[in-house]
Amino acid sequence: MVESGKPNMVDYFPILRWIDPQGIRRRMTGHFEKLIKLFDGVLKERLELRRMGKASDNTSTTDVLEELLKMLQTDEIDEPQIHNLFIDLFAAGTDTTSSTVEWAMSEILRNPKTILVKVKTELNQVIGKGKIVQETDISKLVYLQCILKQTMRLHPPAPFLIPRQVKEEVQLCGYTIPKNSQVLVNAWAIGRDPKLWINPLSFQPERFMDSQIDFNGHDYELIPFGAGRRICPGMPLAMRMVPVMLGSLINCFDWELEGGILPEKLDMEEKFGITLAKLHPLRAVTTLVVL
Ligand code: HEM
């Protein structure tokens, strides 16, 4: 993720593509080879298990790999396609999810007397103290969902979405965008635009309480998952995984910042990259909730 987020001068001077002046393509090739080797190991291991009859179509193994292996048998897909699909899913689904949880936890721990208390109370009332959040609880955890919207408004994990290319020349807001230009959509700036948000820099989950705004790609002021045909296909998964993780962390543990740092002094600086990481990772100390 670090490597793929580095500005590459080849994008601006394509003639340099074959020289690869910063060595980014060379290093990325190495990283991809390592990943493919890893996925290939998992694939071969599962094939071996299936051969030994320990995992077959009739067993309880019903994960994505199992479904892909069925397609492999019927030649609907080949091994390199499985490798590449996994590269896509891992690259797109890992950092985005973990950084959302980290930013949300940071914002919550920055407001221990208000937001933390409120979300703990909701979890306590809806699912009971100390319990792990289940997928079926999510729709009832309204405040937790508002925290997530608020987190992704201020800290969209993919701040420029994924670069797009213009198929035809278009006129937009008085500008001409030539055919084939690369377009970056600044979701980060949209989420902080004072023309769209009152007190844009303030973390207020309440602003979503009575609001219809959602991040499913229809409300352009909040597009952390993008919009249109290339909208994040992992959104339904992320929208289950993230609240389950975040809600469970808050409901099962008590938290405070490491080293007695005052909540209002917590460093919230961002690091430049393809995903929006915290410059200084959150460090917090936890104890198990006493029931
Ligand atoms: C909080 C979590 C996540 C966020 C904020 C997020 C955000 C995004 C964004 C902004 C895009 C580009 C959309 C566009 O340009 O319009 C994208 C694409 C994508 N995401 Fe996610 N994502 C998340 C989780 C996941 C997960 C868990 C997966 C899969 C396991 C996933 C798979 C993908 C894939 C494959 C694409 C590329 C789609 C394409 O190019 O057509 N994402 N995501």
Side-chain angles (χ1 to χ4, degrees):
M1 295 310 287
V2 170
E3 197 70 66
S4 61
K6 283 183 188 160
N8 189 346
M9 64 171 89
V10 172
D11 291 338
Y12 304 98
F13 305 102
I15 199 161
L16 298 175
R17 183 178 302 272
W18 303 111
I19 302 171
D20 185 22
Q22 293 154 273
I24 292 181
R25 191 185 178 86
R26 180 177 46 78
R27 285 191 300 275
M28 281 305 280
T29 307
H31 297 318
F32 279 132
E33 277 168 0
K34 263 196 211 164
L35 265 180
I36 288 175
K37 213 168 146 194
L38 185 91
F39 296 142
D40 198 47
V42 176
L43 201 127
K44 295 274 153 34
E45 193 181 8
R46 180 65 68 82
L47 282 174
E48 184 60 18
L49 281 173
R50 281 172 127 231
R51 205 182 53 78
M52 288 158 55
K54 291 195 184 155
S56 74
D57 299 0
N58 305 326
T59 68
S60 58
T61 320
T62 53
D63 59 9
V64 175
L65 179 56
E66 202 57 31
E67 293 306 317
L68 292 175
L69 289 180
K70 283 185 206 161
M71 292 168 73
L72 188 67
Q73 279 170 338
T74 51
D75 287 333
E76 282 172 82
I77 198 168
D78 58 23
E79 282 193 21
Q81 283 171 328
I82 297 188
H83 296 153
N84 287 319
L85 179 63
F86 281 164
I87 287 181
D88 253 12
L89 295 181
F90 272 74
T94 318
D95 252 31
T96 43
T97 312
S98 62
S99 90
T100 306
V101 175
E102 186 180 20
W103 281 113
M105 280 298 281
S106 306
E107 292 286 6
I108 293 169
L109 295 185
R110 222 155 61 114
N111 296 282
K113 297 209 173 96
T114 49
I115 297 175
L116 180 59
V117 170
K118 221 166 157 179
V119 66
K120 265 192 177 284
T121 309
E122 178 179 74
L123 286 158
N124 195 349
Q125 283 167 357
V126 177
I127 64 167
K129 205 172 171 183
K131 291 207 184 116
I132 287 179
V133 175
Q134 305 295 329
E135 275 185 37
T136 45
D137 300 322
I138 298 171
S139 61
K140 292 171 262 165
L141 296 167
V142 180
Y143 191 65
L144 183 70
Q145 290 189 54
C146 292
I147 292 182
L148 283 175
K149 282 188 189 169
Q150 188 66 170
T151 302
M152 286 199 266
R153 175 181 74 84
L154 284 171
H155 314 287
F160 293 124
L161 308 184
I162 292 183
R164 286 141 186 272
Q165 194 176 38
V166 181
K167 280 167 96 179
E168 298 298 337
E169 183 178 297
V170 279
Q171 304 291 328
L172 198 68
C173 305
Y175 294 93
T176 304
I177 323 277
K179 185 178 171 181
N180 291 335
S181 341
Q182 191 187 61
V183 175
L184 302 177
V185 178
N186 195 339
W188 182 91
I190 296 172
R192 293 165 180 244
D193 188 342
K195 290 199 252 31
L196 301 171
W197 305 97
I198 301 164
N199 274 337
L201 299 186
S202 144
F203 190 89
Q204 296 166 350
E206 289 75 11
R207 69 171 88 222
F208 288 109
M209 280 306 249
D210 296 313
S211 149
Q212 297 296 314
I213 297 177
D214 208 342
F215 37 46
N216 49 20
H218 298 297
D219 303 309
Y220 291 123
E221 58 270 59
L222 188 69
I223 47 165
F225 291 99
R229 279 185 295 179
R230 301 303 293 269
I231 193 170
C232 172
M235 181 171 65
L237 176 62
M239 282 311 52
R240 286 171 176 75
M241 256 187 328
V242 175
V244 164
M245 256 193 278
L246 185 66
S248 302
L249 284 173
I250 296 169
N251 202 34
C252 299
F253 300 97
D254 285 323
W255 293 90
E256 56 184 60
L257 295 172
E258 191 193 62
I261 293 177
L262 292 175
E264 60 275 20
K265 295 263 187 261
L266 180 62
D267 188 294
M268 299 293 273
E269 215 180 316
E270 299 157 340
K271 188 161 68 174
F272 181 81
I274 198 163
T275 49
L276 190 70
K278 275 188 99 247
L279 180 62
H280 303 290
L282 174 67
R283 297 180 67 94
V285 183
T286 172
T287 43
L288 205 58
V289 159
V290 182
L291 295 175

